[in-house]
Amino acid sequence: MTDYKVRTETEQDIDFLWEMLYQAIFMAEGEIKPSREILNQPEIFKYLCNWGRQGDIALIAMDSSEKPVGAIWARLFDETNKTYGFIDKNTPVLSMAVVPEYRGQGVGTLLLNEMLRKAKNSGFFSLSLSVDPKNPALHLYERQGFVKVGINGTSWDMMTTLDNK
């Protein structure tokens, strides 16, 4: 297994974050991934538009050659700007993706663990996310204490509290 490092994102990482947003779109086996134009749809675009506002947190995983191989980010939304996984205005919504050829190597676990620590240290009390129950990442989220709190379309809204992380 390659050694991976996690660092806080910089302004230079925005294109990689957009690529990871595209990679985060789950398609079940046999389904065709939509075109990248899907990133322009308002309900998806809002995950990263005007990145860097108050409360935005992102981490980048890199392999031993410093190549970005995954990202995780959290962003606050409110009642007027809800998104998938929205719980309330004080709970950041988490998004995460790993470059396909690096999946299954612990990158997602590393990113999620680091984000749980960073979010808690940033003063947040909980995190939420939206996941298709057929997505293998569901098991990672459950192992890290996320519990199903609702259903939005075909996806589950999940949440974890950070008081014991």
Side-chain angles (χ1 to χ4, degrees):
M1 179 171 146
T2 307
D3 288 325
Y4 299 105
K5 296 189 300 189
V6 174
R7 64 169 171 78
T8 302
E9 55 86 29
T10 67
E11 287 180 15
Q12 287 72 39
D13 292 313
I14 192 65
D15 289 341
F16 183 69
L17 287 173
W18 281 103
E19 174 60 24
M20 291 296 92
L21 179 59
Y22 180 73
Q23 293 299 328
I25 298 167
F26 175 74
M27 302 304 295
E29 193 168 329
E31 293 181 1
I32 297 173
K33 196 128 178 156
S35 80
R36 291 180 189 278
E37 293 299 311
I38 196 169
L39 297 177
N40 295 321
Q41 292 184 2
E43 66 272 18
I44 295 175
F45 184 73
K46 68 175 67 177
Y47 280 92
L48 286 172
C49 72
N50 300 316
W51 184 258
R53 67 184 196 210
Q54 183 71 31
D56 287 351
I57 304 171
L59 301 171
I60 308 293
M62 300 175 308
D63 68 9
S64 57
S65 66
E66 308 276 317
K67 174 186 170 189
V69 297
I72 190 167
W73 62 99
R75 174 169 251 195
L76 290 168
F77 293 92
D78 62 30
E79 293 289 337
T80 65
N81 188 30
K82 293 181 183 179
T83 191
Y84 304 111
F86 175 81
I87 303 294
D88 62 46
K89 65 183 175 116
N90 299 312
T91 302
V93 177
L94 195 65
S95 302
M96 178 173 70
V98 174
V99 173
E101 56 268 27
Y102 287 84
R103 292 178 185 162
Q105 300 178 34
V107 176
T109 300
L110 178 65
L111 281 167
L112 187 53
N113 286 336
E114 289 296 320
M115 179 57 81
L116 292 171
R117 272 194 286 285
K118 178 134 179 124
K120 182 177 181 178
N121 291 340
S122 297
F124 294 110
F125 298 101
S126 57
L127 287 172
S128 66
L129 57 85
S130 175
V131 64
D132 186 304
K134 294 180 287 221
N135 187 329
L138 172 66
H139 305 295
L140 167 62
Y141 301 139
E142 289 174 331
R143 281 195 312 268
Q144 297 300 330
F146 282 84
V147 294
K148 179 180 169 186
V149 294
I151 297 176
N152 186 342
T154 60
S155 293
W156 291 2
D157 290 340
M158 298 184 82
M159 187 173 118
T160 190
T161 55
L162 302 173
D163 52 4
N164 58 0
K165 302 280 188 253

